């Protein structure tokens, strides 16, 4: 699936911010975001930029085929936020921080028109739950062993 979500700009607003609607750090409670593989093997993390390749390879070699794309994505609210290298975001957590992050966080864009590009390829890279506890989380999408607040897919973004 490839499509854009356009967001109507309200008068006098110059930015749009995104946060997963459901966030959790409780074991066994998934968040409302989780797109593609983790940027690190042994831990569930966010992934940004060139890691989100748009290519899923089989069997279980790379799970970065799905990503969201937001122009000028910033890891913090306000004009002082650092612009992320690249516009793609994927991984187990929604977080535009420059280094791999293990929690969800709000990210904003000042690029007009406001839109989110959705890129989901036709493949999935899923490992069995027993294999997912090994350091292979950078190879698997929709990890069945994710129990630390990471989610599966995206839904319920809260726009600020």
């Amino acid at each position: 699936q490839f499509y854009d979500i356009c967001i109507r700009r309200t008068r006098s607003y110059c930015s749009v911010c995104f946060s997963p609607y459901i966030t959790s750090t409780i074991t066994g409670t998934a968040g409302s975001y989780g797109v593609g593989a983790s940027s690190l093997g042994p831990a569930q993390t966010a992934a940004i930029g060139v890691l989100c390749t748009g290519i899923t390879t089989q069997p279980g070699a790379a799970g970065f085929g799905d990503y969201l794309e937001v122009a000028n994505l910033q890891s913090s609210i306000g004009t002082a936020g650092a612009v992320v290298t690249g516009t793609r975001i994927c991984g187990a957590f929604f977080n535009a921080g420059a280094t791999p992050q293990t929690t969800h966080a709000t990210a904003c864009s000042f690029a007009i028109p406001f839109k989110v590009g959705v890129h989901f390829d036709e493949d999935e890279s899923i490992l069995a739950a027993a294999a997912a506890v090994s350091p292979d989380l950078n190879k698997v999408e929709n990890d069945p062993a994710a129990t630390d607040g990471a989610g599966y897919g995206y839904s319920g973004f809260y726009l600020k």
Side-chain angles (χ1 to χ4, degrees):
Q1 294 183 11
F2 305 96
Y3 59 91
D4 289 333
I5 301 169
C6 296
I7 302 163
R8 184 174 166 252
R9 182 177 164 203
T10 303
R11 177 178 280 174
S12 77
Y13 281 71
C14 62
S15 66
V16 61
C17 295
F18 307 94
S19 294
Y21 185 69
I22 300 169
T23 60
S24 176
T25 56
I26 299 170
T27 298
T29 303
S32 60
Y33 175 87
V35 176
S38 171
S39 60
L40 299 175
Q44 292 284 359
T45 63
I48 57 169
V50 296
L51 286 173
C52 308
T53 62
I55 300 169
T56 301
T57 56
Q58 294 294 334
F64 296 108
D66 301 339
Y67 62 85
L68 302 179
E69 190 162 19
V70 180
N72 197 24
L73 193 62
Q74 298 186 11
S75 61
S76 62
I77 300 170
T79 57
V83 176
V84 172
T85 303
T87 60
R88 297 176 178 183
I89 186 165
C90 61
F93 291 96
F94 186 84
N95 192 314
T99 58
Q101 301 293 317
T102 58
T103 58
H104 293 293
T106 297
C108 300
S109 173
F110 290 85
I112 299 170
F114 300 150
K115 76 177 179 178
V116 177
V118 178
H119 179 283
F120 288 175
D121 68 1
E122 66 276 3
D123 297 316
E124 295 295 326
S125 179
I126 300 174
L127 297 176
V133 296
S134 69
D136 287 332
L137 297 177
N138 58 333
K139 299 177 182 176
V140 61
E141 296 176 315
N142 308 326
D143 174 27
T147 57
D148 53 6
Y152 306 102
Y154 78 100
S155 65
F157 269 112
Y158 180 69
L159 306 176
K160 295 181 181 183

